[in-house]
Short mmCIF file of all heavy atoms in Angstrom, two decimals:
data_model
loop_
_atom_site.label_atom_id
_atom_site.label_comp_id
_atom_site.label_asym_id
_atom_site.label_seq_id
_atom_site.Cartn_x
_atom_site.Cartn_y
_atom_site.Cartn_z
N MET A 833 101.29 121.98 129.26
CA MET A 833 100.52 122.25 128.04
C MET A 833 100.48 121.02 127.12
O MET A 833 99.53 120.83 126.40
CB MET A 833 101.13 123.43 127.27
CG MET A 833 100.88 124.78 127.92
SD MET A 833 99.11 125.22 127.99
CE MET A 833 98.85 125.66 126.25
N GLU A 834 101.50 120.23 127.18
CA GLU A 834 101.57 119.09 126.27
C GLU A 834 100.59 117.99 126.68
O GLU A 834 100.53 117.62 127.84
CB GLU A 834 102.98 118.54 126.25
CG GLU A 834 103.24 117.74 124.99
CD GLU A 834 104.71 117.78 124.58
OE1 GLU A 834 105.30 118.86 124.59
OE2 GLU A 834 105.21 116.72 124.26
N LYS A 835 99.84 117.55 125.73
CA LYS A 835 98.86 116.51 126.03
C LYS A 835 99.16 115.26 125.23
O LYS A 835 99.60 115.33 124.09
CB LYS A 835 97.45 117.01 125.66
CG LYS A 835 96.98 118.16 126.51
CD LYS A 835 95.64 118.67 125.97
CE LYS A 835 95.21 119.90 126.73
NZ LYS A 835 94.01 120.49 126.13
N LYS A 836 98.87 114.14 125.85
CA LYS A 836 99.03 112.89 125.13
C LYS A 836 97.78 112.63 124.31
O LYS A 836 96.68 112.97 124.72
CB LYS A 836 99.24 111.75 126.13
CG LYS A 836 100.57 111.82 126.83
CD LYS A 836 100.70 110.68 127.83
CE LYS A 836 102.01 110.80 128.59
NZ LYS A 836 102.05 109.84 129.70
N LEU A 837 97.98 111.99 123.19
CA LEU A 837 96.84 111.72 122.32
C LEU A 837 95.80 110.84 123.00
O LEU A 837 94.62 110.95 122.71
CB LEU A 837 97.32 111.05 121.03
CG LEU A 837 98.04 111.98 120.06
CD1 LEU A 837 98.54 111.20 118.87
CD2 LEU A 837 97.12 113.09 119.59
N THR A 838 96.23 110.01 123.91
CA THR A 838 95.29 109.11 124.57
C THR A 838 94.35 109.86 125.51
O THR A 838 93.33 109.35 125.90
CB THR A 838 96.04 108.04 125.38
OG1 THR A 838 96.99 108.70 126.21
CG2 THR A 838 96.75 107.06 124.49
N GLU A 839 94.70 111.09 125.84
CA GLU A 839 93.86 111.88 126.74
C GLU A 839 92.86 112.72 125.97
O GLU A 839 92.01 113.37 126.55
CB GLU A 839 94.73 112.81 127.60
CG GLU A 839 95.63 112.04 128.54
CD GLU A 839 96.68 112.92 129.19
OE1 GLU A 839 96.76 114.11 128.83
OE2 GLU A 839 97.41 112.41 130.04
N LEU A 840 93.00 112.74 124.69
CA LEU A 840 92.15 113.60 123.88
C LEU A 840 90.74 113.04 123.77
O LEU A 840 90.54 111.84 123.72
CB LEU A 840 92.72 113.75 122.48
CG LEU A 840 94.07 114.43 122.37
CD1 LEU A 840 94.52 114.43 120.92
CD2 LEU A 840 94.00 115.83 122.91
N LYS A 841 89.79 113.94 123.71
CA LYS A 841 88.42 113.53 123.40
C LYS A 841 88.15 113.91 121.95
O LYS A 841 88.99 113.70 121.10
CB LYS A 841 87.47 114.17 124.39
CG LYS A 841 87.68 113.55 125.77
CD LYS A 841 86.83 114.19 126.83
CE LYS A 841 87.16 113.52 128.17
NZ LYS A 841 86.50 114.23 129.27
N SER A 842 86.99 114.45 121.68
CA SER A 842 86.69 114.81 120.30
C SER A 842 87.32 116.14 119.95
O SER A 842 86.84 117.19 120.37
CB SER A 842 85.18 114.89 120.11
OG SER A 842 84.63 113.65 120.39
N LYS A 843 88.37 116.08 119.19
CA LYS A 843 89.09 117.28 118.83
C LYS A 843 89.61 117.19 117.41
O LYS A 843 89.68 116.12 116.84
CB LYS A 843 90.27 117.52 119.78
CG LYS A 843 89.82 117.97 121.14
CD LYS A 843 90.96 118.08 122.10
CE LYS A 843 90.44 118.48 123.47
NZ LYS A 843 91.45 118.41 124.50
N PHE A 844 89.99 118.34 116.92
CA PHE A 844 90.64 118.37 115.62
C PHE A 844 92.14 118.47 115.83
O PHE A 844 92.61 119.13 116.75
CB PHE A 844 90.15 119.57 114.80
CG PHE A 844 88.74 119.40 114.33
CD1 PHE A 844 87.68 119.88 115.08
CD2 PHE A 844 88.47 118.74 113.14
CE1 PHE A 844 86.36 119.71 114.64
CE2 PHE A 844 87.17 118.56 112.70
CZ PHE A 844 86.11 119.05 113.45
N ILE A 845 92.87 117.80 115.01
CA ILE A 845 94.33 117.78 115.12
C ILE A 845 94.92 118.27 113.81
O ILE A 845 94.51 117.83 112.73
CB ILE A 845 94.85 116.35 115.38
CG1 ILE A 845 94.14 115.73 116.57
CG2 ILE A 845 96.35 116.36 115.63
CD1 ILE A 845 94.42 114.24 116.70
N LYS A 846 95.88 119.17 113.93
CA LYS A 846 96.59 119.60 112.72
C LYS A 846 97.83 118.73 112.57
O LYS A 846 98.66 118.66 113.47
CB LYS A 846 96.98 121.07 112.81
CG LYS A 846 97.55 121.60 111.50
CD LYS A 846 98.17 122.96 111.65
CE LYS A 846 97.14 124.06 111.49
NZ LYS A 846 97.81 125.40 111.48
N LEU A 847 97.92 118.08 111.44
CA LEU A 847 99.02 117.16 111.17
C LEU A 847 99.89 117.68 110.04
O LEU A 847 99.43 118.43 109.18
CB LEU A 847 98.47 115.81 110.73
CG LEU A 847 97.56 115.07 111.69
CD1 LEU A 847 97.07 113.79 111.04
CD2 LEU A 847 98.27 114.75 112.98
N ARG A 848 101.12 117.23 110.06
CA ARG A 848 101.98 117.47 108.90
C ARG A 848 102.41 116.11 108.35
O ARG A 848 102.99 115.30 109.08
CB ARG A 848 103.20 118.29 109.29
CG ARG A 848 104.15 118.50 108.09
CD ARG A 848 105.39 119.24 108.47
NE ARG A 848 105.13 120.65 108.69
CZ ARG A 848 105.82 121.41 109.55
NH1 ARG A 848 106.77 120.88 110.29
NH2 ARG A 848 105.55 122.68 109.68
N CYS A 849 102.14 115.92 107.11
CA CYS A 849 102.55 114.69 106.44
C CYS A 849 104.07 114.60 106.47
O CYS A 849 104.76 115.55 106.10
CB CYS A 849 102.03 114.70 105.01
SG CYS A 849 102.59 113.28 104.06
N GLU A 850 104.59 113.45 106.92
CA GLU A 850 106.05 113.31 107.02
C GLU A 850 106.69 113.11 105.66
O GLU A 850 107.89 113.25 105.51
CB GLU A 850 106.39 112.16 107.97
CG GLU A 850 105.96 112.48 109.39
CD GLU A 850 106.36 111.41 110.39
OE1 GLU A 850 106.43 110.24 110.00
OE2 GLU A 850 106.60 111.76 111.55
N LYS A 851 105.90 112.80 104.70
CA LYS A 851 106.43 112.52 103.37
C LYS A 851 106.54 113.80 102.53
O LYS A 851 107.59 114.09 101.97
CB LYS A 851 105.53 111.50 102.68
CG LYS A 851 106.14 110.80 101.50
CD LYS A 851 105.24 109.63 101.09
CE LYS A 851 105.66 109.07 99.75
NZ LYS A 851 104.70 108.04 99.31
N CYS A 852 105.45 114.58 102.47
CA CYS A 852 105.44 115.75 101.58
C CYS A 852 105.30 117.07 102.33
O CYS A 852 105.27 118.13 101.71
CB CYS A 852 104.33 115.62 100.54
SG CYS A 852 102.69 115.89 101.22
N LYS A 853 105.18 117.01 103.66
CA LYS A 853 105.09 118.20 104.52
C LYS A 853 103.79 118.98 104.36
O LYS A 853 103.68 120.11 104.83
CB LYS A 853 106.28 119.17 104.32
CG LYS A 853 107.65 118.50 104.35
CD LYS A 853 107.91 117.80 105.67
CE LYS A 853 109.28 117.13 105.68
NZ LYS A 853 109.43 116.18 106.78
N ASN A 854 102.83 118.38 103.72
CA ASN A 854 101.51 119.02 103.63
C ASN A 854 100.86 119.06 105.01
O ASN A 854 100.93 118.09 105.76
CB ASN A 854 100.63 118.19 102.67
CG ASN A 854 99.19 118.66 102.67
OD1 ASN A 854 98.93 119.85 102.48
ND2 ASN A 854 98.27 117.75 102.87
N GLU A 855 100.23 120.18 105.34
CA GLU A 855 99.53 120.28 106.61
C GLU A 855 98.04 120.05 106.38
O GLU A 855 97.45 120.57 105.45
CB GLU A 855 99.76 121.67 107.23
CG GLU A 855 101.20 121.84 107.68
CD GLU A 855 101.45 123.19 108.33
OE1 GLU A 855 100.49 123.90 108.63
OE2 GLU A 855 102.63 123.51 108.53
N GLN A 856 97.48 119.24 107.27
CA GLN A 856 96.10 118.85 107.10
C GLN A 856 95.43 118.72 108.46
O GLN A 856 96.03 118.22 109.40
CB GLN A 856 96.07 117.50 106.36
CG GLN A 856 94.76 117.14 105.74
CD GLN A 856 94.96 115.98 104.75
OE1 GLN A 856 95.90 115.97 103.96
NE2 GLN A 856 94.08 115.02 104.81
N VAL A 857 94.20 119.19 108.58
CA VAL A 857 93.48 119.08 109.85
C VAL A 857 92.52 117.90 109.78
O VAL A 857 91.76 117.77 108.83
CB VAL A 857 92.70 120.39 110.14
CG1 VAL A 857 91.88 120.25 111.42
CG2 VAL A 857 93.67 121.56 110.27
N ILE A 858 92.60 117.04 110.79
CA ILE A 858 91.69 115.90 110.82
C ILE A 858 90.99 115.84 112.17
O ILE A 858 91.45 116.43 113.15
CB ILE A 858 92.42 114.56 110.57
CG1 ILE A 858 93.34 114.20 111.76
CG2 ILE A 858 93.21 114.59 109.27
CD1 ILE A 858 93.61 112.72 111.88
N PHE A 859 89.90 115.11 112.23
CA PHE A 859 89.19 114.85 113.47
C PHE A 859 89.89 113.67 114.15
O PHE A 859 90.35 112.76 113.47
CB PHE A 859 87.74 114.50 113.12
CG PHE A 859 86.78 114.62 114.26
CD1 PHE A 859 86.72 115.78 115.01
CD2 PHE A 859 85.91 113.58 114.55
CE1 PHE A 859 85.80 115.89 116.06
CE2 PHE A 859 85.00 113.69 115.58
CZ PHE A 859 84.94 114.84 116.34
N ASN A 860 89.99 113.69 115.47
CA ASN A 860 90.73 112.60 116.12
C ASN A 860 89.88 111.35 116.32
O ASN A 860 90.39 110.33 116.76
CB ASN A 860 91.36 113.06 117.43
CG ASN A 860 90.38 113.11 118.58
OD1 ASN A 860 89.20 113.43 118.39
ND2 ASN A 860 90.83 112.82 119.76
N LYS A 861 88.59 111.44 116.00
CA LYS A 861 87.78 110.22 116.00
C LYS A 861 87.35 109.97 114.56
O LYS A 861 86.51 110.69 114.02
CB LYS A 861 86.56 110.40 116.90
CG LYS A 861 86.89 110.30 118.36
CD LYS A 861 85.65 110.29 119.21
CE LYS A 861 86.00 110.11 120.67
NZ LYS A 861 84.80 110.16 121.51
N ILE A 862 87.95 108.98 113.98
CA ILE A 862 87.67 108.72 112.57
C ILE A 862 87.15 107.30 112.41
O ILE A 862 87.43 106.44 113.24
CB ILE A 862 88.93 108.92 111.71
CG1 ILE A 862 90.09 108.08 112.25
CG2 ILE A 862 89.31 110.40 111.63
CD1 ILE A 862 91.33 108.09 111.38
N SER A 863 86.43 107.06 111.36
CA SER A 863 85.90 105.72 111.12
C SER A 863 86.52 105.09 109.89
O SER A 863 86.29 103.93 109.59
CB SER A 863 84.38 105.77 110.97
OG SER A 863 84.03 106.70 109.98
N SER A 864 87.32 105.86 109.18
CA SER A 864 88.02 105.30 108.03
C SER A 864 89.40 105.95 107.93
O SER A 864 89.65 106.98 108.55
CB SER A 864 87.23 105.52 106.74
OG SER A 864 87.00 106.89 106.55
N ILE A 865 90.26 105.35 107.16
CA ILE A 865 91.63 105.84 107.02
C ILE A 865 91.64 107.24 106.40
O ILE A 865 90.90 107.53 105.47
CB ILE A 865 92.44 104.86 106.15
CG1 ILE A 865 92.72 103.58 106.96
CG2 ILE A 865 93.76 105.47 105.68
CD1 ILE A 865 93.44 102.50 106.18
N VAL A 866 92.46 108.12 106.99
CA VAL A 866 92.62 109.46 106.46
C VAL A 866 93.95 109.52 105.71
O VAL A 866 94.99 109.18 106.26
CB VAL A 866 92.63 110.51 107.59
CG1 VAL A 866 92.90 111.91 107.03
CG2 VAL A 866 91.30 110.50 108.33
N LYS A 867 93.87 109.94 104.47
CA LYS A 867 95.08 110.02 103.66
C LYS A 867 95.45 111.46 103.36
O LYS A 867 94.59 112.33 103.33
CB LYS A 867 94.88 109.26 102.34
CG LYS A 867 94.80 107.76 102.54
CD LYS A 867 94.81 107.04 101.22
CE LYS A 867 94.92 105.53 101.46
NZ LYS A 867 95.04 104.80 100.21
N CYS A 868 96.74 111.67 103.14
CA CYS A 868 97.22 112.97 102.72
C CYS A 868 96.59 113.34 101.38
O CYS A 868 96.55 112.53 100.47
CB CYS A 868 98.74 112.93 102.59
SG CYS A 868 99.45 114.45 101.96
N LEU A 869 96.07 114.56 101.31
CA LEU A 869 95.41 115.00 100.09
C LEU A 869 96.40 115.23 98.95
O LEU A 869 96.03 115.27 97.78
CB LEU A 869 94.63 116.29 100.35
CG LEU A 869 93.48 116.17 101.35
CD1 LEU A 869 92.89 117.54 101.64
CD2 LEU A 869 92.41 115.22 100.85
N VAL A 870 97.66 115.39 99.30
CA VAL A 870 98.67 115.69 98.29
C VAL A 870 99.35 114.42 97.77
O VAL A 870 99.40 114.17 96.57
CB VAL A 870 99.73 116.67 98.86
CG1 VAL A 870 100.84 116.91 97.85
CG2 VAL A 870 99.06 117.98 99.25
N CYS A 871 99.88 113.60 98.69
CA CYS A 871 100.70 112.46 98.24
C CYS A 871 100.06 111.10 98.52
O CYS A 871 100.64 110.08 98.23
CB CYS A 871 102.08 112.53 98.89
SG CYS A 871 102.07 112.12 100.64
N ASP A 872 98.86 111.10 99.12
CA ASP A 872 98.12 109.86 99.36
C ASP A 872 98.73 108.98 100.45
O ASP A 872 98.38 107.82 100.59
CB ASP A 872 97.97 109.07 98.06
CG ASP A 872 96.64 108.32 97.99
OD1 ASP A 872 95.65 108.87 98.51
OD2 ASP A 872 96.61 107.21 97.48
N GLU A 873 99.66 109.52 101.25
CA GLU A 873 100.22 108.80 102.39
C GLU A 873 99.13 108.67 103.46
O GLU A 873 98.34 109.58 103.65
CB GLU A 873 101.41 109.60 102.94
CG GLU A 873 102.10 108.96 104.12
CD GLU A 873 103.15 107.95 103.71
OE1 GLU A 873 103.12 107.46 102.58
OE2 GLU A 873 104.02 107.64 104.54
N THR A 874 99.10 107.53 104.15
CA THR A 874 98.13 107.36 105.23
C THR A 874 98.54 108.19 106.44
O THR A 874 99.64 108.01 106.96
CB THR A 874 98.01 105.87 105.62
OG1 THR A 874 97.58 105.13 104.49
CG2 THR A 874 97.02 105.69 106.75
N LEU A 875 97.67 109.10 106.86
CA LEU A 875 97.99 109.97 107.99
C LEU A 875 97.41 109.45 109.29
O LEU A 875 97.99 109.64 110.36
CB LEU A 875 97.44 111.38 107.74
CG LEU A 875 98.00 112.14 106.53
CD1 LEU A 875 97.38 113.52 106.47
CD2 LEU A 875 99.51 112.24 106.60
N ALA A 876 96.27 108.82 109.22
CA ALA A 876 95.64 108.32 110.44
C ALA A 876 94.76 107.12 110.11
O ALA A 876 94.16 107.05 109.06
CB ALA A 876 94.81 109.42 111.07
N GLU A 877 94.74 106.19 111.08
CA GLU A 877 93.92 105.00 110.91
C GLU A 877 93.00 104.88 112.11
O GLU A 877 93.40 105.18 113.23
CB GLU A 877 94.79 103.74 110.89
CG GLU A 877 95.85 103.71 109.82
CD GLU A 877 96.80 102.54 110.04
OE1 GLU A 877 96.35 101.46 110.45
OE2 GLU A 877 98.01 102.74 109.82
N PRO A 878 91.78 104.43 111.92
CA PRO A 878 90.87 104.25 113.05
C PRO A 878 91.25 103.03 113.87
O PRO A 878 91.54 101.97 113.32
CB PRO A 878 89.50 104.05 112.38
CG PRO A 878 89.82 103.52 111.03
CD PRO A 878 91.16 104.08 110.64
N THR A 879 91.33 103.19 115.20
CA THR A 879 91.60 102.05 116.08
C THR A 879 90.62 102.13 117.25
O THR A 879 90.88 102.81 118.23
CB THR A 879 93.04 102.08 116.63
OG1 THR A 879 93.25 103.36 117.26
CG2 THR A 879 94.08 101.89 115.55
N GLY A 880 89.49 101.49 117.09
CA GLY A 880 88.49 101.46 118.15
C GLY A 880 87.99 102.83 118.57
O GLY A 880 87.84 103.10 119.76
N GLY A 881 87.79 103.69 117.60
CA GLY A 881 87.22 105.01 117.90
C GLY A 881 88.24 106.12 117.84
O GLY A 881 87.94 107.21 117.36
N LYS A 882 89.43 105.86 118.31
CA LYS A 882 90.47 106.89 118.26
C LYS A 882 91.39 106.70 117.09
O LYS A 882 91.65 105.58 116.66
CB LYS A 882 91.30 106.88 119.55
CG LYS A 882 90.64 107.70 120.64
CD LYS A 882 91.50 107.73 121.87
CE LYS A 882 90.81 108.53 122.97
NZ LYS A 882 91.44 108.36 124.26
N ALA A 883 91.90 107.81 116.62
CA ALA A 883 92.78 107.73 115.47
C ALA A 883 94.19 107.37 115.89
O ALA A 883 94.72 107.89 116.86
CB ALA A 883 92.78 109.07 114.75
N LYS A 884 94.79 106.47 115.12
CA LYS A 884 96.22 106.20 115.27
C LYS A 884 96.92 107.11 114.27
O LYS A 884 96.69 107.02 113.07
CB LYS A 884 96.50 104.73 114.97
CG LYS A 884 97.97 104.38 115.02
CD LYS A 884 98.16 102.91 114.76
CE LYS A 884 99.64 102.59 114.67
NZ LYS A 884 100.02 102.12 113.33
N ILE A 885 97.73 108.01 114.79
CA ILE A 885 98.33 109.04 113.96
C ILE A 885 99.66 108.57 113.39
O ILE A 885 100.54 108.13 114.13
CB ILE A 885 98.56 110.33 114.78
CG1 ILE A 885 97.28 110.76 115.49
CG2 ILE A 885 99.10 111.45 113.89
CD1 ILE A 885 96.15 111.15 114.59
N ASN A 886 99.80 108.71 112.09
CA ASN A 886 101.05 108.32 111.42
C ASN A 886 101.75 109.53 110.84
O ASN A 886 102.47 109.44 109.85
CB ASN A 886 100.75 107.35 110.28
CG ASN A 886 100.15 106.06 110.80
OD1 ASN A 886 100.60 105.51 111.79
ND2 ASN A 886 99.12 105.60 110.15
N ALA A 887 101.52 110.68 111.45
CA ALA A 887 102.13 111.91 110.94
C ALA A 887 102.55 112.76 112.13
O ALA A 887 102.27 112.43 113.28
CB ALA A 887 101.14 112.67 110.07
N GLN A 888 103.22 113.85 111.83
CA GLN A 888 103.67 114.76 112.89
C GLN A 888 102.48 115.60 113.36
O GLN A 888 101.77 116.21 112.55
CB GLN A 888 104.76 115.66 112.34
CG GLN A 888 105.37 116.57 113.38
CD GLN A 888 106.40 117.51 112.76
OE1 GLN A 888 106.73 117.42 111.59
NE2 GLN A 888 106.90 118.42 113.56
N VAL A 889 102.22 115.62 114.67
CA VAL A 889 101.13 116.43 115.21
C VAL A 889 101.65 117.84 115.48
O VAL A 889 102.55 118.04 116.29
CB VAL A 889 100.58 115.81 116.51
CG1 VAL A 889 99.48 116.70 117.10
CG2 VAL A 889 100.04 114.42 116.26
N LEU A 890 101.08 118.81 114.79
CA LEU A 890 101.53 120.19 114.93
C LEU A 890 100.77 120.92 116.02
O LEU A 890 101.30 121.74 116.75
CB LEU A 890 101.35 120.95 113.61
CG LEU A 890 102.16 120.47 112.42
CD1 LEU A 890 101.78 121.28 111.21
CD2 LEU A 890 103.64 120.59 112.69
N GLU A 891 99.48 120.62 116.10
CA GLU A 891 98.63 121.43 116.95
C GLU A 891 97.33 120.67 117.22
O GLU A 891 96.84 119.94 116.37
CB GLU A 891 98.29 122.73 116.20
CG GLU A 891 97.75 123.83 117.06
CD GLU A 891 97.50 125.09 116.24
OE1 GLU A 891 97.97 125.17 115.08
OE2 GLU A 891 96.83 125.98 116.75
N VAL A 892 96.80 120.84 118.43
CA VAL A 892 95.49 120.29 118.74
C VAL A 892 94.52 121.45 118.87
O VAL A 892 94.76 122.38 119.65
CB VAL A 892 95.52 119.47 120.05
CG1 VAL A 892 94.11 118.97 120.40
CG2 VAL A 892 96.48 118.30 119.92
N LEU A 893 93.49 121.42 118.08
CA LEU A 893 92.51 122.52 118.04
C LEU A 893 91.33 122.16 118.92
O LEU A 893 90.65 121.18 118.68
CB LEU A 893 92.08 122.77 116.60
CG LEU A 893 93.23 122.94 115.59
CD1 LEU A 893 92.70 122.83 114.18
CD2 LEU A 893 93.95 124.25 115.80
N GLU A 894 91.09 122.96 119.94
CA GLU A 894 89.99 122.68 120.87
C GLU A 894 88.64 122.94 120.23
O GLU A 894 88.50 123.85 119.45
CB GLU A 894 90.14 123.59 122.10
CG GLU A 894 91.48 123.46 122.78
CD GLU A 894 91.55 122.30 123.78
OE1 GLU A 894 90.50 121.83 124.19
OE2 GLU A 894 92.65 121.91 124.15
ZN1 ZN B 1631 101.73 113.96 101.96
#
């Protein structure tokens, strides 16, 4: 059941901010930095189409 992020295509990912524990759903293909809506911590950065995740991945939503 466990999937590596590198195998993901276009999906939504539920993340938990490691700083404030806020849960946030993001798209795994982003074109700009995604920040935590609560504490402004960077949660994901775009790297050639795929997001580099800087938070805890809770769930991948198909
Ligand atoms: Zn946060």
Side-chain angles (χ1 to χ4, degrees):
M833 287 296 285
E834 201 151 315
K835 294 174 185 174
K836 290 179 183 171
L837 287 176
T838 51
E839 295 168 355
L840 297 177
K841 290 177 182 172
S842 300
K843 288 175 182 171
F844 288 92
I845 307 169
K846 188 191 274 187
L847 300 177
R848 178 184 286 150
C849 175
E850 293 184 330
K851 198 169 168 185
C852 73
K853 312 300 180 194
N854 172 52
E855 291 181 12
Q856 197 165 316
V857 176
I858 69 156
F859 198 51
N860 79 325
K861 284 188 176 177
I862 54 174
S863 54
S864 58
I865 288 177
V866 176
K867 290 189 173 185
C868 176
L869 296 174
V870 176
C871 73
D872 214 35
E873 181 85 340
T874 299
L875 298 182
E877 302 170 38
T879 55
K882 275 183 182 168
K884 177 178 174 244
I885 308 296
N886 297 316
Q888 185 183 355
V889 177
L890 297 176
E891 197 178 347
V892 176
L893 310 166
E894 304 276 342

